[in-house]
Amino acid sequence: MTKTPLIPSALLDRPGQLAISPGILSGGHVFLTGMTGSSADGSMPDDPQVQFRNAFAKIAEVLGEADLTLDSIVEMTTYHVGMEDHFDQFDRVRLDVLNPPYPAWTAVEVAGLRRKGALVEIRVIASVEG
C-alpha cells in the first residue's frame, strides 16, 4: 500500500519534532492527524471561535496539498474539552465552513488535549474522488 505524506510548507518543522505527518494519502483517502486551533505562531487563542476557525483552516491547508478542499471530507471526529460550554459556537463555525452534504460526524467530550488551552481537536478523513 502506498502512503504519501501531506505536509504543508508552513508545517515542515513540526512533523519532524513529533514524528508524524499532518496527512497521509493512501488508498483513495486522505487521513489527517487531529488539528487544534493554535495560531501560526503556536499560541493558543483565548477566543473559542478563533480556535475553531484556525483548526479548520489548518485542515484545509493539509487537504490542499492533495488538491482537495473541505468539501472532500467524508468523516469527522471532534474531541472537545468543556463541550457543553462551547458546542453551539463550534457548530456555528462548522456550518459556516462545511457544505452539504455534510460529513459523518462524531463529537466526543474529553478531559484534556495535548495542547494546553485547546478546546477542540478535529480529525478528518477525506476522499480523493469527486
Side-chain angles (χ1 to χ4, degrees):
M1 176 183 300
T2 303
K3 297 189 308 183
T4 304
L6 301 173
I7 307 172
S9 58
L11 300 178
L12 281 174
D13 293 335
R14 294 182 187 175
Q17 295 171 2
L18 299 175
I20 62 168
S21 295
I24 291 285
L25 173 60
S26 180
H29 288 88
V30 174
F31 303 85
L32 267 69
T33 296
M35 299 287 176
T36 61
S38 60
S39 296
D41 65 3
S43 65
M44 191 62 66
D46 292 328
D47 184 333
Q49 288 191 45
V50 173
Q51 281 194 36
F52 306 151
R53 288 189 184 282
N54 285 352
F56 280 111
K58 288 195 282 187
I59 290 167
E61 188 174 5
V62 175
L63 291 174
E65 292 294 308
D67 294 323
L68 300 174
T69 67
L70 294 174
D71 290 336
S72 304
I73 298 171
V74 295
E75 194 275 336
M76 177 173 78
T77 303
T78 56
Y79 303 92
H80 300 260
V81 175
M83 182 163 46
E84 189 174 308
D85 296 332
H86 68 258
F87 186 81
D88 290 342
Q89 292 177 68
F90 179 83
D91 201 39
R92 281 192 296 276
V93 171
R94 176 187 72 89
L95 292 172
D96 189 43
V97 300
L98 299 178
N99 298 307
Y102 298 109
W105 176 30
T106 302
V108 180
E109 172 123 28
V110 296
L113 296 167
R114 183 185 166 278
R115 290 296 312 269
K116 184 177 171 95
L119 297 176
V120 72
E121 185 166 327
I122 306 170
R123 185 180 181 283
V124 303
I125 299 171
S127 175
V128 298
E129 298 175 10

PDB file of all heavy atoms in Angstrom, residues 38-77:
ATOM      1  N   SER A  38      -4.486  26.229  17.358  1.00  0.00           N
ATOM      2  CA  SER A  38      -3.384  27.150  17.644  1.00  0.00           C
ATOM      3  C   SER A  38      -3.165  28.093  16.468  1.00  0.00           C
ATOM      4  O   SER A  38      -3.467  27.768  15.322  1.00  0.00           O
ATOM      5  CB  SER A  38      -2.103  26.386  17.965  1.00  0.00           C
ATOM      6  OG  SER A  38      -1.732  25.570  16.874  1.00  0.00           O
ATOM      7  N   SER A  39      -2.636  29.239  16.773  1.00  0.00           N
ATOM      8  CA  SER A  39      -2.318  30.238  15.743  1.00  0.00           C
ATOM      9  C   SER A  39      -1.012  29.867  15.058  1.00  0.00           C
ATOM     10  O   SER A  39      -0.282  28.985  15.511  1.00  0.00           O
ATOM     11  CB  SER A  39      -2.201  31.622  16.378  1.00  0.00           C
ATOM     12  OG  SER A  39      -3.441  32.008  16.912  1.00  0.00           O
ATOM     13  N   ALA A  40      -0.689  30.548  13.984  1.00  0.00           N
ATOM     14  CA  ALA A  40       0.525  30.266  13.213  1.00  0.00           C
ATOM     15  C   ALA A  40       1.787  30.361  14.069  1.00  0.00           C
ATOM     16  O   ALA A  40       2.756  29.647  13.831  1.00  0.00           O
ATOM     17  CB  ALA A  40       0.617  31.208  12.023  1.00  0.00           C
ATOM     18  N   ASP A  41       1.772  31.236  15.075  1.00  0.00           N
ATOM     19  CA  ASP A  41       2.949  31.386  15.941  1.00  0.00           C
ATOM     20  C   ASP A  41       3.000  30.341  17.056  1.00  0.00           C
ATOM     21  O   ASP A  41       3.892  30.362  17.897  1.00  0.00           O
ATOM     22  CB  ASP A  41       3.012  32.796  16.532  1.00  0.00           C
ATOM     23  CG  ASP A  41       1.859  33.108  17.480  1.00  0.00           C
ATOM     24  OD1 ASP A  41       1.009  32.218  17.748  1.00  0.00           O
ATOM     25  OD2 ASP A  41       1.799  34.260  17.964  1.00  0.00           O
ATOM     26  N   GLY A  42       2.021  29.420  17.071  1.00  0.00           N
ATOM     27  CA  GLY A  42       1.992  28.360  18.070  1.00  0.00           C
ATOM     28  C   GLY A  42       1.192  28.690  19.316  1.00  0.00           C
ATOM     29  O   GLY A  42       0.950  27.809  20.139  1.00  0.00           O
ATOM     30  N   SER A  43       0.771  29.939  19.471  1.00  0.00           N
ATOM     31  CA  SER A  43      -0.018  30.307  20.651  1.00  0.00           C
ATOM     32  C   SER A  43      -1.449  29.799  20.501  1.00  0.00           C
ATOM     33  O   SER A  43      -1.935  29.581  19.391  1.00  0.00           O
ATOM     34  CB  SER A  43      -0.010  31.821  20.846  1.00  0.00           C
ATOM     35  OG  SER A  43      -0.672  32.455  19.773  1.00  0.00           O
ATOM     36  N   MET A  44      -2.113  29.603  21.649  1.00  0.00           N
ATOM     37  CA  MET A  44      -3.494  29.140  21.635  1.00  0.00           C
ATOM     38  C   MET A  44      -4.413  30.319  21.951  1.00  0.00           C
ATOM     39  O   MET A  44      -4.340  30.882  23.043  1.00  0.00           O
ATOM     40  CB  MET A  44      -3.690  28.038  22.683  1.00  0.00           C
ATOM     41  CG  MET A  44      -5.001  27.309  22.563  1.00  0.00           C
ATOM     42  SD  MET A  44      -5.227  26.405  20.997  1.00  0.00           S
ATOM     43  CE  MET A  44      -3.971  25.138  21.125  1.00  0.00           C
ATOM     44  N   PRO A  45      -5.254  30.730  21.004  1.00  0.00           N
ATOM     45  CA  PRO A  45      -6.155  31.862  21.236  1.00  0.00           C
ATOM     46  C   PRO A  45      -7.128  31.586  22.386  1.00  0.00           C
ATOM     47  O   PRO A  45      -7.541  30.449  22.601  1.00  0.00           O
ATOM     48  CB  PRO A  45      -6.931  31.989  19.922  1.00  0.00           C
ATOM     49  CG  PRO A  45      -6.113  31.265  18.913  1.00  0.00           C
ATOM     50  CD  PRO A  45      -5.402  30.179  19.659  1.00  0.00           C
ATOM     51  N   ASP A  46      -7.497  32.634  23.097  1.00  0.00           N
ATOM     52  CA  ASP A  46      -8.493  32.517  24.154  1.00  0.00           C
ATOM     53  C   ASP A  46      -9.911  32.412  23.593  1.00  0.00           C
ATOM     54  O   ASP A  46     -10.775  31.801  24.213  1.00  0.00           O
ATOM     55  CB  ASP A  46      -8.417  33.724  25.101  1.00  0.00           C
ATOM     56  CG  ASP A  46      -7.133  33.744  25.916  1.00  0.00           C
ATOM     57  OD1 ASP A  46      -6.604  32.653  26.240  1.00  0.00           O
ATOM     58  OD2 ASP A  46      -6.654  34.851  26.221  1.00  0.00           O
ATOM     59  N   ASP A  47     -10.134  32.987  22.430  1.00  0.00           N
ATOM     60  CA  ASP A  47     -11.461  33.007  21.819  1.00  0.00           C
ATOM     61  C   ASP A  47     -11.767  31.648  21.177  1.00  0.00           C
ATOM     62  O   ASP A  47     -11.069  31.221  20.245  1.00  0.00           O
ATOM     63  CB  ASP A  47     -11.506  34.112  20.756  1.00  0.00           C
ATOM     64  CG  ASP A  47     -12.873  34.290  20.121  1.00  0.00           C
ATOM     65  OD1 ASP A  47     -13.668  33.325  20.069  1.00  0.00           O
ATOM     66  OD2 ASP A  47     -13.154  35.414  19.663  1.00  0.00           O
ATOM     67  N   PRO A  48     -12.805  30.949  21.652  1.00  0.00           N
ATOM     68  CA  PRO A  48     -13.123  29.633  21.090  1.00  0.00           C
ATOM     69  C   PRO A  48     -13.353  29.655  19.583  1.00  0.00           C
ATOM     70  O   PRO A  48     -12.862  28.775  18.872  1.00  0.00           O
ATOM     71  CB  PRO A  48     -14.413  29.239  21.823  1.00  0.00           C
ATOM     72  CG  PRO A  48     -14.363  29.985  23.108  1.00  0.00           C
ATOM     73  CD  PRO A  48     -13.695  31.292  22.772  1.00  0.00           C
ATOM     74  N   GLN A  49     -14.078  30.669  19.082  1.00  0.00           N
ATOM     75  CA  GLN A  49     -14.358  30.698  17.647  1.00  0.00           C
ATOM     76  C   GLN A  49     -13.084  30.840  16.821  1.00  0.00           C
ATOM     77  O   GLN A  49     -12.977  30.262  15.736  1.00  0.00           O
ATOM     78  CB  GLN A  49     -15.343  31.809  17.310  1.00  0.00           C
ATOM     79  CG  GLN A  49     -16.747  31.476  17.785  1.00  0.00           C
ATOM     80  CD  GLN A  49     -17.779  32.432  17.230  1.00  0.00           C
ATOM     81  OE1 GLN A  49     -17.751  32.734  16.039  1.00  0.00           O
ATOM     82  NE2 GLN A  49     -18.683  32.885  18.081  1.00  0.00           N
ATOM     83  N   VAL A  50     -12.119  31.584  17.328  1.00  0.00           N
ATOM     84  CA  VAL A  50     -10.837  31.711  16.632  1.00  0.00           C
ATOM     85  C   VAL A  50     -10.143  30.348  16.602  1.00  0.00           C
ATOM     86  O   VAL A  50      -9.607  29.929  15.574  1.00  0.00           O
ATOM     87  CB  VAL A  50      -9.949  32.797  17.276  1.00  0.00           C
ATOM     88  CG1 VAL A  50      -8.557  32.808  16.666  1.00  0.00           C
ATOM     89  CG2 VAL A  50     -10.607  34.168  17.140  1.00  0.00           C
ATOM     90  N   GLN A  51     -10.160  29.637  17.731  1.00  0.00           N
ATOM     91  CA  GLN A  51      -9.577  28.292  17.760  1.00  0.00           C
ATOM     92  C   GLN A  51     -10.243  27.391  16.716  1.00  0.00           C
ATOM     93  O   GLN A  51      -9.549  26.688  15.961  1.00  0.00           O
ATOM     94  CB  GLN A  51      -9.742  27.645  19.136  1.00  0.00           C
ATOM     95  CG  GLN A  51      -8.765  28.111  20.175  1.00  0.00           C
ATOM     96  CD  GLN A  51      -8.761  27.191  21.380  1.00  0.00           C
ATOM     97  OE1 GLN A  51      -8.909  25.972  21.259  1.00  0.00           O
ATOM     98  NE2 GLN A  51      -8.564  27.778  22.553  1.00  0.00           N
ATOM     99  N   PHE A  52     -11.568  27.396  16.675  1.00  0.00           N
ATOM    100  CA  PHE A  52     -12.285  26.506  15.762  1.00  0.00           C
ATOM    101  C   PHE A  52     -11.966  26.844  14.306  1.00  0.00           C
ATOM    102  O   PHE A  52     -11.708  25.950  13.493  1.00  0.00           O
ATOM    103  CB  PHE A  52     -13.794  26.576  16.015  1.00  0.00           C
ATOM    104  CG  PHE A  52     -14.191  26.328  17.452  1.00  0.00           C
ATOM    105  CD1 PHE A  52     -15.328  26.894  17.971  1.00  0.00           C
ATOM    106  CD2 PHE A  52     -13.412  25.545  18.294  1.00  0.00           C
ATOM    107  CE1 PHE A  52     -15.709  26.683  19.290  1.00  0.00           C
ATOM    108  CE2 PHE A  52     -13.773  25.326  19.623  1.00  0.00           C
ATOM    109  CZ  PHE A  52     -14.929  25.898  20.121  1.00  0.00           C
ATOM    110  N   ARG A  53     -11.956  28.130  13.985  1.00  0.00           N
ATOM    111  CA  ARG A  53     -11.645  28.539  12.605  1.00  0.00           C
ATOM    112  C   ARG A  53     -10.194  28.198  12.243  1.00  0.00           C
ATOM    113  O   ARG A  53      -9.907  27.771  11.126  1.00  0.00           O
ATOM    114  CB  ARG A  53     -11.928  30.015  12.403  1.00  0.00           C
ATOM    115  CG  ARG A  53     -13.415  30.312  12.382  1.00  0.00           C
ATOM    116  CD  ARG A  53     -13.755  31.730  11.969  1.00  0.00           C
ATOM    117  NE  ARG A  53     -15.186  31.928  12.063  1.00  0.00           N
ATOM    118  CZ  ARG A  53     -16.076  31.501  11.168  1.00  0.00           C
ATOM    119  NH1 ARG A  53     -15.657  30.859  10.091  1.00  0.00           N
ATOM    120  NH2 ARG A  53     -17.371  31.721  11.329  1.00  0.00           N
ATOM    121  N   ASN A  54      -9.278  28.395  13.192  1.00  0.00           N
ATOM    122  CA  ASN A  54      -7.881  28.037  12.950  1.00  0.00           C
ATOM    123  C   ASN A  54      -7.738  26.550  12.653  1.00  0.00           C
ATOM    124  O   ASN A  54      -6.992  26.155  11.743  1.00  0.00           O
ATOM    125  CB  ASN A  54      -7.003  28.390  14.152  1.00  0.00           C
ATOM    126  CG  ASN A  54      -6.725  29.860  14.300  1.00  0.00           C
ATOM    127  OD1 ASN A  54      -7.051  30.668  13.432  1.00  0.00           O
ATOM    128  ND2 ASN A  54      -6.125  30.227  15.432  1.00  0.00           N
ATOM    129  N   ALA A  55      -8.437  25.721  13.417  1.00  0.00           N
ATOM    130  CA  ALA A  55      -8.338  24.270  13.213  1.00  0.00           C
ATOM    131  C   ALA A  55      -8.831  23.895  11.812  1.00  0.00           C
ATOM    132  O   ALA A  55      -8.171  23.132  11.095  1.00  0.00           O
ATOM    133  CB  ALA A  55      -9.124  23.532  14.287  1.00  0.00           C
ATOM    134  N   PHE A  56      -9.975  24.434  11.417  1.00  0.00           N
ATOM    135  CA  PHE A  56     -10.473  24.131  10.072  1.00  0.00           C
ATOM    136  C   PHE A  56      -9.550  24.686   8.991  1.00  0.00           C
ATOM    137  O   PHE A  56      -9.372  24.064   7.938  1.00  0.00           O
ATOM    138  CB  PHE A  56     -11.899  24.654   9.888  1.00  0.00           C
ATOM    139  CG  PHE A  56     -12.954  23.752  10.487  1.00  0.00           C
ATOM    140  CD1 PHE A  56     -13.666  24.158  11.600  1.00  0.00           C
ATOM    141  CD2 PHE A  56     -13.236  22.509   9.931  1.00  0.00           C
ATOM    142  CE1 PHE A  56     -14.652  23.344  12.156  1.00  0.00           C
ATOM    143  CE2 PHE A  56     -14.208  21.679  10.479  1.00  0.00           C
ATOM    144  CZ  PHE A  56     -14.924  22.100  11.594  1.00  0.00           C
ATOM    145  N   ALA A  57      -8.946  25.842   9.232  1.00  0.00           N
ATOM    146  CA  ALA A  57      -8.010  26.412   8.253  1.00  0.00           C
ATOM    147  C   ALA A  57      -6.790  25.508   8.087  1.00  0.00           C
ATOM    148  O   ALA A  57      -6.298  25.317   6.957  1.00  0.00           O
ATOM    149  CB  ALA A  57      -7.583  27.819   8.680  1.00  0.00           C
ATOM    150  N   LYS A  58      -6.293  24.947   9.181  1.00  0.00           N
ATOM    151  CA  LYS A  58      -5.147  24.032   9.085  1.00  0.00           C
ATOM    152  C   LYS A  58      -5.537  22.758   8.350  1.00  0.00           C
ATOM    153  O   LYS A  58      -4.754  22.230   7.537  1.00  0.00           O
ATOM    154  CB  LYS A  58      -4.595  23.715  10.475  1.00  0.00           C
ATOM    155  CG  LYS A  58      -3.871  24.896  11.089  1.00  0.00           C
ATOM    156  CD  LYS A  58      -3.029  24.515  12.282  1.00  0.00           C
ATOM    157  CE  LYS A  58      -3.829  24.311  13.519  1.00  0.00           C
ATOM    158  NZ  LYS A  58      -3.011  24.096  14.719  1.00  0.00           N
ATOM    159  N   ILE A  59      -6.741  22.269   8.596  1.00  0.00           N
ATOM    160  CA  ILE A  59      -7.232  21.089   7.873  1.00  0.00           C
ATOM    161  C   ILE A  59      -7.291  21.396   6.381  1.00  0.00           C
ATOM    162  O   ILE A  59      -6.828  20.607   5.549  1.00  0.00           O
ATOM    163  CB  ILE A  59      -8.608  20.657   8.414  1.00  0.00           C
ATOM    164  CG1 ILE A  59      -8.456  20.073   9.820  1.00  0.00           C
ATOM    165  CG2 ILE A  59      -9.290  19.670   7.475  1.00  0.00           C
ATOM    166  CD1 ILE A  59      -9.753  19.901  10.577  1.00  0.00           C
ATOM    167  N   ALA A  60      -7.828  22.552   6.026  1.00  0.00           N
ATOM    168  CA  ALA A  60      -7.903  22.947   4.613  1.00  0.00           C
ATOM    169  C   ALA A  60      -6.521  23.035   3.992  1.00  0.00           C
ATOM    170  O   ALA A  60      -6.324  22.656   2.828  1.00  0.00           O
ATOM    171  CB  ALA A  60      -8.633  24.280   4.486  1.00  0.00           C
ATOM    172  N   GLU A  61      -5.556  23.520   4.755  1.00  0.00           N
ATOM    173  CA  GLU A  61      -4.196  23.642   4.237  1.00  0.00           C
ATOM    174  C   GLU A  61      -3.582  22.270   3.938  1.00  0.00           C
ATOM    175  O   GLU A  61      -2.959  22.070   2.898  1.00  0.00           O
ATOM    176  CB  GLU A  61      -3.330  24.394   5.253  1.00  0.00           C
ATOM    177  CG  GLU A  61      -1.966  24.745   4.745  1.00  0.00           C
ATOM    178  CD  GLU A  61      -1.181  25.606   5.721  1.00  0.00           C
ATOM    179  OE1 GLU A  61      -1.641  25.865   6.843  1.00  0.00           O
ATOM    180  OE2 GLU A  61      -0.076  26.006   5.339  1.00  0.00           O
ATOM    181  N   VAL A  62      -3.793  21.311   4.817  1.00  0.00           N
ATOM    182  CA  VAL A  62      -3.268  19.956   4.582  1.00  0.00           C
ATOM    183  C   VAL A  62      -3.994  19.324   3.398  1.00  0.00           C
ATOM    184  O   VAL A  62      -3.353  18.739   2.512  1.00  0.00           O
ATOM    185  CB  VAL A  62      -3.384  19.077   5.844  1.00  0.00           C
ATOM    186  CG1 VAL A  62      -2.942  17.646   5.543  1.00  0.00           C
ATOM    187  CG2 VAL A  62      -2.546  19.646   6.986  1.00  0.00           C
ATOM    188  N   LEU A  63      -5.317  19.446   3.346  1.00  0.00           N
ATOM    189  CA  LEU A  63      -6.057  18.892   2.215  1.00  0.00           C
ATOM    190  C   LEU A  63      -5.621  19.523   0.903  1.00  0.00           C
ATOM    191  O   LEU A  63      -5.579  18.853  -0.138  1.00  0.00           O
ATOM    192  CB  LEU A  63      -7.566  19.091   2.419  1.00  0.00           C
ATOM    193  CG  LEU A  63      -8.209  18.274   3.537  1.00  0.00           C
ATOM    194  CD1 LEU A  63      -9.663  18.675   3.710  1.00  0.00           C
ATOM    195  CD2 LEU A  63      -8.080  16.781   3.277  1.00  0.00           C
ATOM    196  N   GLY A  64      -5.270  20.794   0.932  1.00  0.00           N
ATOM    197  CA  GLY A  64      -4.798  21.491  -0.259  1.00  0.00           C
ATOM    198  C   GLY A  64      -3.548  20.867  -0.853  1.00  0.00           C
ATOM    199  O   GLY A  64      -3.323  20.963  -2.062  1.00  0.00           O
ATOM    200  N   GLU A  65      -2.749  20.211  -0.025  1.00  0.00           N
ATOM    201  CA  GLU A  65      -1.551  19.514  -0.528  1.00  0.00           C
ATOM    202  C   GLU A  65      -1.922  18.376  -1.472  1.00  0.00           C
ATOM    203  O   GLU A  65      -1.092  17.926  -2.260  1.00  0.00           O
ATOM    204  CB  GLU A  65      -0.708  18.983   0.636  1.00  0.00           C
ATOM    205  CG  GLU A  65      -0.056  20.067   1.469  1.00  0.00           C
ATOM    206  CD  GLU A  65       0.986  20.845   0.690  1.00  0.00           C
ATOM    207  OE1 GLU A  65       1.887  20.227   0.088  1.00  0.00           O
ATOM    208  OE2 GLU A  65       0.883  22.092   0.675  1.00  0.00           O
ATOM    209  N   ALA A  66      -3.166  17.884  -1.380  1.00  0.00           N
ATOM    210  CA  ALA A  66      -3.657  16.834  -2.288  1.00  0.00           C
ATOM    211  C   ALA A  66      -4.670  17.413  -3.270  1.00  0.00           C
ATOM    212  O   ALA A  66      -5.452  16.675  -3.868  1.00  0.00           O
ATOM    213  CB  ALA A  66      -4.286  15.702  -1.472  1.00  0.00           C
ATOM    214  N   ASP A  67      -4.659  18.755  -3.424  1.00  0.00           N
ATOM    215  CA  ASP A  67      -5.607  19.452  -4.294  1.00  0.00           C
ATOM    216  C   ASP A  67      -7.063  19.174  -3.910  1.00  0.00           C
ATOM    217  O   ASP A  67      -7.941  19.050  -4.778  1.00  0.00           O
ATOM    218  CB  ASP A  67      -5.365  19.103  -5.771  1.00  0.00           C
ATOM    219  CG  ASP A  67      -4.025  19.621  -6.256  1.00  0.00           C
ATOM    220  OD1 ASP A  67      -3.634  20.728  -5.837  1.00  0.00           O
ATOM    221  OD2 ASP A  67      -3.375  18.910  -7.055  1.00  0.00           O
ATOM    222  N   LEU A  68      -7.312  19.080  -2.606  1.00  0.00           N
ATOM    223  CA  LEU A  68      -8.656  18.856  -2.081  1.00  0.00           C
ATOM    224  C   LEU A  68      -9.089  20.068  -1.262  1.00  0.00           C
ATOM    225  O   LEU A  68      -8.266  20.908  -0.902  1.00  0.00           O
ATOM    226  CB  LEU A  68      -8.684  17.601  -1.197  1.00  0.00           C
ATOM    227  CG  LEU A  68      -8.291  16.286  -1.867  1.00  0.00           C
ATOM    228  CD1 LEU A  68      -8.221  15.172  -0.832  1.00  0.00           C
ATOM    229  CD2 LEU A  68      -9.258  15.925  -2.983  1.00  0.00           C
ATOM    230  N   THR A  69     -10.369  20.126  -0.964  1.00  0.00           N
ATOM    231  CA  THR A  69     -10.925  21.189  -0.131  1.00  0.00           C
ATOM    232  C   THR A  69     -11.681  20.551   1.038  1.00  0.00           C
ATOM    233  O   THR A  69     -11.805  19.317   1.119  1.00  0.00           O
ATOM    234  CB  THR A  69     -11.901  22.072  -0.932  1.00  0.00           C
ATOM    235  OG1 THR A  69     -13.053  21.288  -1.264  1.00  0.00           O
ATOM    236  CG2 THR A  69     -11.244  22.636  -2.189  1.00  0.00           C
ATOM    237  N   LEU A  70     -12.225  21.396   1.887  1.00  0.00           N
ATOM    238  CA  LEU A  70     -13.036  20.891   2.999  1.00  0.00           C
ATOM    239  C   LEU A  70     -14.246  20.104   2.495  1.00  0.00           C
ATOM    240  O   LEU A  70     -14.763  19.241   3.213  1.00  0.00           O
ATOM    241  CB  LEU A  70     -13.492  22.052   3.894  1.00  0.00           C
ATOM    242  CG  LEU A  70     -12.386  22.782   4.659  1.00  0.00           C
ATOM    243  CD1 LEU A  70     -12.954  23.999   5.390  1.00  0.00           C
ATOM    244  CD2 LEU A  70     -11.673  21.864   5.639  1.00  0.00           C
ATOM    245  N   ASP A  71     -14.679  20.359   1.279  1.00  0.00           N
ATOM    246  CA  ASP A  71     -15.802  19.603   0.713  1.00  0.00           C
ATOM    247  C   ASP A  71     -15.456  18.138   0.479  1.00  0.00           C
ATOM    248  O   ASP A  71     -16.361  17.322   0.243  1.00  0.00           O
ATOM    249  CB  ASP A  71     -16.270  20.234  -0.597  1.00  0.00           C
ATOM    250  CG  ASP A  71     -16.958  21.572  -0.393  1.00  0.00           C
ATOM    251  OD1 ASP A  71     -17.482  21.820   0.718  1.00  0.00           O
ATOM    252  OD2 ASP A  71     -16.970  22.373  -1.348  1.00  0.00           O
ATOM    253  N   SER A  72     -14.194  17.791   0.536  1.00  0.00           N
ATOM    254  CA  SER A  72     -13.759  16.407   0.332  1.00  0.00           C
ATOM    255  C   SER A  72     -13.899  15.555   1.592  1.00  0.00           C
ATOM    256  O   SER A  72     -13.751  14.333   1.537  1.00  0.00           O
ATOM    257  CB  SER A  72     -12.296  16.379  -0.106  1.00  0.00           C
ATOM    258  OG  SER A  72     -12.107  17.150  -1.266  1.00  0.00           O
ATOM    259  N   ILE A  73     -14.177  16.190   2.719  1.00  0.00           N
ATOM    260  CA  ILE A  73     -14.254  15.460   3.993  1.00  0.00           C
ATOM    261  C   ILE A  73     -15.481  14.555   3.998  1.00  0.00           C
ATOM    262  O   ILE A  73     -16.597  14.995   3.721  1.00  0.00           O
ATOM    263  CB  ILE A  73     -14.310  16.432   5.188  1.00  0.00           C
ATOM    264  CG1 ILE A  73     -13.040  17.276   5.250  1.00  0.00           C
ATOM    265  CG2 ILE A  73     -14.514  15.661   6.494  1.00  0.00           C
ATOM    266  CD1 ILE A  73     -13.097  18.405   6.272  1.00  0.00           C
ATOM    267  N   VAL A  74     -15.259  13.272   4.314  1.00  0.00           N
ATOM    268  CA  VAL A  74     -16.363  12.318   4.399  1.00  0.00           C
ATOM    269  C   VAL A  74     -16.643  11.888   5.839  1.00  0.00           C
ATOM    270  O   VAL A  74     -17.732  11.392   6.134  1.00  0.00           O
ATOM    271  CB  VAL A  74     -16.115  11.071   3.508  1.00  0.00           C
ATOM    272  CG1 VAL A  74     -16.094  11.465   2.032  1.00  0.00           C
ATOM    273  CG2 VAL A  74     -14.845  10.346   3.892  1.00  0.00           C
ATOM    274  N   GLU A  75     -15.664  12.064   6.724  1.00  0.00           N
ATOM    275  CA  GLU A  75     -15.854  11.670   8.132  1.00  0.00           C
ATOM    276  C   GLU A  75     -15.064  12.614   9.009  1.00  0.00           C
ATOM    277  O   GLU A  75     -13.950  13.012   8.668  1.00  0.00           O
ATOM    278  CB  GLU A  75     -15.388  10.233   8.354  1.00  0.00           C
ATOM    279  CG  GLU A  75     -15.844   9.620   9.669  1.00  0.00           C
ATOM    280  CD  GLU A  75     -14.931   9.936  10.856  1.00  0.00           C
ATOM    281  OE1 GLU A  75     -13.748  10.229  10.639  1.00  0.00           O
ATOM    282  OE2 GLU A  75     -15.420   9.894  11.998  1.00  0.00           O
ATOM    283  N   MET A  76     -15.656  13.003  10.139  1.00  0.00           N
ATOM    284  CA  MET A  76     -15.013  13.928  11.066  1.00  0.00           C
ATOM    285  C   MET A  76     -15.275  13.467  12.495  1.00  0.00           C
ATOM    286  O   MET A  76     -16.409  13.118  12.838  1.00  0.00           O
ATOM    287  CB  MET A  76     -15.578  15.339  10.849  1.00  0.00           C
ATOM    288  CG  MET A  76     -15.039  16.387  11.792  1.00  0.00           C
ATOM    289  SD  MET A  76     -15.587  18.069  11.361  1.00  0.00           S
ATOM    290  CE  MET A  76     -17.254  18.066  11.995  1.00  0.00           C
ATOM    291  N   THR A  77     -14.221  13.488  13.291  1.00  0.00           N
ATOM    292  CA  THR A  77     -14.350  13.237  14.723  1.00  0.00           C
ATOM    293  C   THR A  77     -13.782  14.447  15.435  1.00  0.00           C
ATOM    294  O   THR A  77     -12.678  14.899  15.109  1.00  0.00           O
ATOM    295  CB  THR A  77     -13.581  11.974  15.155  1.00  0.00           C
ATOM    296  OG1 THR A  77     -14.058  10.859  14.380  1.00  0.00           O
ATOM    297  CG2 THR A  77     -13.784  11.684  16.639  1.00  0.00           C
TER     298      THR A  77
END
